[in-house]
Amino acid sequence: MASVQDVLSALAIFSRAPDKASLDHANVWLQDFQHSRDAWATCNVLLLSPEAPVPAKLFAAQTFRTKVTYDLHEMNESDVFQLRDTLVTALETYHAGPRTIMVQLCLAISGLALQLSAWEDPVQNMIDSFGRNPATVPALLQFLTILPEELNSTKRVSLLSMYMQATGVTPAVQGQIFRCLSSWLAAGEVTASSLAQTPLLPYAFNALESDELFDAAVAVVCDLIHETQEIEDNMQVIEVVVPRIISLKPKLTELKDDPEKIRGFARIFTEAGETYRSLLLHHPETFFPIVDAIGVCSAYSDLDIVPITFHFWMRLAQSIGKRSSVSPPFIDAYKALIGELPVFRHVMGDTLKDCCYVLGADTCLLSTYDLITTALKRGPSAISWQEIEAPLFAMRSMGAEVDPTDDKAVPKIMDLIPSLPLHPRVRYAALLIISRYTEWINRHPDYIPYQLQYISAGFEDSDTEVNAAAGQALKFLCQDCRRHLVDFLPQLHTFLATMGSKLGQDEKIQVYEAIAYVISAMPMEQAAQSLRTFSLEILAHVHMIATRPTQATKEELYAVGCKFDVVFTEIRADKMRLTTGGLENLEVMLGVIDTFGDELPAACQNSSQEAWLFFEPFIAKYGSEYSICERTTRVLRFGLTFFGTTVKPILPSILKQMSAAFEVTGFSSYLWIVGKIVGRFGNEEDPTLRTAYKDVFERSSQKMVLLLQEKAPGEIPDVMEDYLQMLLQMIEYAPDIFFPSFAFPIAFRAAMAALTVVHSDIIFAALDLIRNILTHDSLAPPSSVPPPPKFPIYAAAIRPVVEKEGVELTGYLLAGLSTPIVVTIFRVVASLWQVQLLSWLPTVLQQLPTTSVPDQTKTQFLADMNSALQSKEYDKVKYAIIALHRASRKARERRRAGPLDA
């Protein structure tokens, strides 16, 4: 039996702040102690010993709570009643605190009350024990907060009312009463109607005058309002509550300098507005003051308070939109919201859309337009840039609601943009408007030349945010107006040639993407020739660097493909960030255009072979640079989609280069491309191509052996994932290569190793592969239909591998999750390797730590599996695994909480 001193010694380690190893050892010891039967008696001594330190008493209370939750089965019924008396006695001892101990004891007693059916009336017993002495009432309230089920609604509120009105009740107890009441309201344990018939309702509103009780009172009032959402059933309560809510409105002026109080009132008014939304619309003469109060909160200067109201305005707008007519006060309320945009433009975007929904987009846009024109009339020296920028931001937010055929407001805005001040923040906001209104511009193409001029000027601005906004505007303009911009492609080409060197890479990407959208709108032959022109300009740089005898500089590699930027911070080690160049631009263009269809235009028929002549020497020379690997493989991926079947002649060469590059570097992206090729062209019967599949499978598997000898699977998750994805394609499209190869056992072991990686995508890919292997049709029982000629070869490859790795595989499966795929795998193993599985299980179960799988659970699982296998009822395997994992999860969750967690 663990002694009291042993526990005290372990707990003392945490107060000395020793090394991590000592802390971990003490933590594990205490967890093991909590799992033991000795903990009941030892903690009883600790909890009731006057000499024990407070941390030890808290630990004892926590242990009782944990053991009541998980280990009550260890005690017989008479001992459980003795335990109840011990816990109640302890609560009497600690009714005044420390509060942490009191809370843990209440949790333990409530857990006991829920499980001990022979305890006939636990709540009444607790009321009798703790409800008669004002000093012990807080302990009773804590217990009732946790366990209100045994009291009916009327009795609950009557009990709280009695304590609220008791002589000498303190604000601390009143606060606890409100918290208890709020908890019951939220849980549905107290009805609004029962509360309205007691003094608790006026007490809650009166408590809003108290600094000490304000927060608790706000919570109760909000919960009460929420519980009246069934309007017809709670109309009598609403008639009592609403006048009290409206009477709070003057407080918004009276307490305007106290943001915490305003926050509370904003919660109350907003809760009332949302709950009584239908009443607001049907009876505005009575309920509109609530809307008015919410409007005051929306105009408050604290940006943390304003968003509390947004959901109300959205829901109200939706309701108004369903009505044939709208009362004028509601129109005025939404107009007032628009008036607040100069202050709140960055947080009111969605609410401005709600205003459009109620008032109409043209009305809202013209209101913001008038703000700008009024300001401009005062002259440049008399206005600030903020006066112009704020309405522009509002226009952008409202853009989603604009009708592309609008001829009232948007033309005025578009005509206004060229005359706006040249301040960077104004230009930035105006460019974002162009980005947002490109669908409208597509219907009004006469504006395109002017917009292109404004966008072009944005690229020349010294402010990088303006440059970025210009790139975004050009991208969306070309995306939505592509057909109108076909004739502008030479102009865009010239712009790129003259301005390209001055643009940052992010802006270049957007320009190339914009150009790709225009190309995609051209007739196919013209589009193919244009794409070829832009692509060859990029590939020419690739070819030049790849074929010259000297190594390229970092700057040259940056321009062509990618480079590493090393970023140092005070709190992190160096971090690699890809900065992209020409190949990224090509990738973006191919991503937009995607494909020209099954039949490529003449200009592209041989382009894949030509492009590979550029890429192959470039990868061979610079493919050991991680950034070059990432960029080139992504371009290759888009190229496979774009060129389609015309790439078949070069696939063996690509696969050979990918294989060689992976052998040298171990970079996962080379395997990623292999998987994409096999998935796209795996059914091709070309002998040269299938030989290339075999070569890349075996060479990459041998490289995996070396990598896993040097590093744990969790250290190379990207390699594990892409290798597994390649294998999944292999087993699907090339089983004649996959199974007979010497690399198959390597692949199987790699899949098992992947099960140790804490990465769900990798684990499921590994499980998919293992399932596909074990459920392969070649392992099916003999039938009257002869199997395909290669199936015996496949089966002869699979069986010895599974039998050799069976113990380890079973261990991984039992230590993991009980997902359907794991159950499927286990069921297949049970049916095909029944004898072997029964010999594997004892060894595997012995290896599982008792901290995650208790011995009792292991014994039961082994018995269940024996029964299922002996009777050949393989469906019962599923239930055995689920039961094992459920018990294991419960044990892990218990330990994860930690012995000292409250």
Side-chain angles (χ1 to χ4, degrees), residues 154-187:
T154 302
K155 188 172 182 180
R156 292 183 193 115
V157 293
S158 297
L159 187 68
L160 295 186
S161 296
M162 178 184 71
Y163 290 130
M164 182 67 79
Q165 300 174 84
T167 304
V169 65
T170 64
V173 172
Q174 290 176 321
Q176 192 168 355
I177 291 171
F178 281 137
R179 285 189 289 273
C180 183
L181 178 58
S182 186
S183 171
W184 289 355
L185 282 167

Side-chain angles (χ1 to χ4, degrees), residues 407-436:
D407 60 358
K408 296 180 181 178
V410 182
K412 292 185 176 182
I413 294 170
M414 292 297 139
D415 291 336
L416 180 65
I417 287 177
S419 63
L420 293 173
L422 298 181
H423 191 282
R425 306 321 301 158
V426 172
R427 177 170 279 174
Y428 173 77
L431 287 166
L432 293 183
I433 287 179
I434 294 175
S435 300
R436 198 67 188 82

Side-chain angles (χ1 to χ4, degrees), residues 517-535:
Y517 284 122
V518 176
I519 291 175
S520 70
M522 292 177 165
M524 190 175 292
E525 289 293 342
Q526 184 184 355
Q529 191 57 54
S530 298
L531 178 61
R532 180 182 177 87
T533 298
F534 283 97
S535 300

Side-chain angles (χ1 to χ4, degrees), residues 492-508:
L492 292 172
H493 192 191
T494 302
F495 168 80
L496 192 58
T498 55
M499 287 291 296
S501 60
K502 301 177 183 178
L503 299 178
Q505 179 56 22
D506 289 341
E507 287 72 50
K508 276 187 183 178

Side-chain angles (χ1 to χ4, degrees), residues 25-252:
H25 181 269
N27 189 62
V28 170
W29 189 92
L30 289 170
Q31 284 187 327
D32 290 340
F33 166 76
Q34 286 184 324
H35 283 68
S36 71
R37 289 177 179 267
D38 296 341
W40 296 106
T42 304
C43 288
N44 187 44
V45 174
L46 278 172
L47 192 61
L48 300 179
S49 172
E51 295 80 16
V54 171
K57 294 177 179 179
L58 175 59
F59 172 74
Q62 291 167 336
T63 302
F64 273 125
R65 182 206 69 190
T66 302
K67 292 194 74 65
V68 165
T69 303
Y70 295 104
D71 300 332
L72 201 59
H73 62 274
E74 295 176 354
M75 310 182 77
N76 58 45
E77 189 169 295
S78 61
D79 290 337
V80 173
F81 275 102
Q82 186 176 349
L83 170 65
R84 177 200 64 182
D85 296 339
T86 297
L87 293 174
V88 171
T89 300
L91 185 59
E92 291 172 350
T93 302
Y94 297 106
H95 71 269
R99 187 174 186 278
T100 51
I101 296 177
M102 182 182 73
V103 169
Q104 294 300 310
L105 290 172
C106 287
L107 288 168
I109 296 171
S110 64
L112 195 60
L114 292 171
Q115 296 181 71
L116 185 56
S117 58
W119 189 1
E120 294 182 356
D121 196 348
V123 172
Q124 187 58 53
N125 291 162
M126 294 296 289
I127 292 173
D128 293 340
S129 298
F130 294 90
R132 294 183 171 87
N133 182 354
T136 60
V137 166
L140 174 64
L141 292 173
Q142 181 63 50
F143 172 78
L144 294 177
T145 301
I146 298 167
L147 188 76
E149 288 89 347
E150 300 297 327
L151 287 171
N152 62 47
S153 181
T154 302
K155 188 172 182 180
R156 292 183 193 115
V157 293
S158 297
L159 187 68
L160 295 186
S161 296
M162 178 184 71
Y163 290 130
M164 182 67 79
Q165 300 174 84
T167 304
V169 65
T170 64
V173 172
Q174 290 176 321
Q176 192 168 355
I177 291 171
F178 281 137
R179 285 189 289 273
C180 183
L181 178 58
S182 186
S183 171
W184 289 355
L185 282 167
E189 302 292 347
V190 167
T191 64
S193 58
S194 64
L195 178 61
Q197 297 170 14
T198 72
L200 287 174
L201 189 149
Y203 278 143
F205 279 94
N206 293 339
L208 295 171
E209 300 284 348
S210 166
D211 291 340
E212 293 176 275
L213 299 176
F214 182 81
D215 291 338
V218 167
V220 168
V221 171
C222 288
D223 289 330
L224 171 61
I225 295 169
H226 186 76
E227 287 305 304
T228 61
Q229 57 189 304
E230 300 295 336
I231 301 297
E232 292 184 5
D233 296 340
N234 291 285
M235 203 61 216
Q236 289 183 334
V237 181
I238 294 171
E239 290 173 353
V240 174
V241 169
V242 167
R244 289 184 175 275
I245 295 171
I246 293 174
S247 70
L248 298 174
K249 185 184 170 188
K251 296 291 184 182
L252 297 175

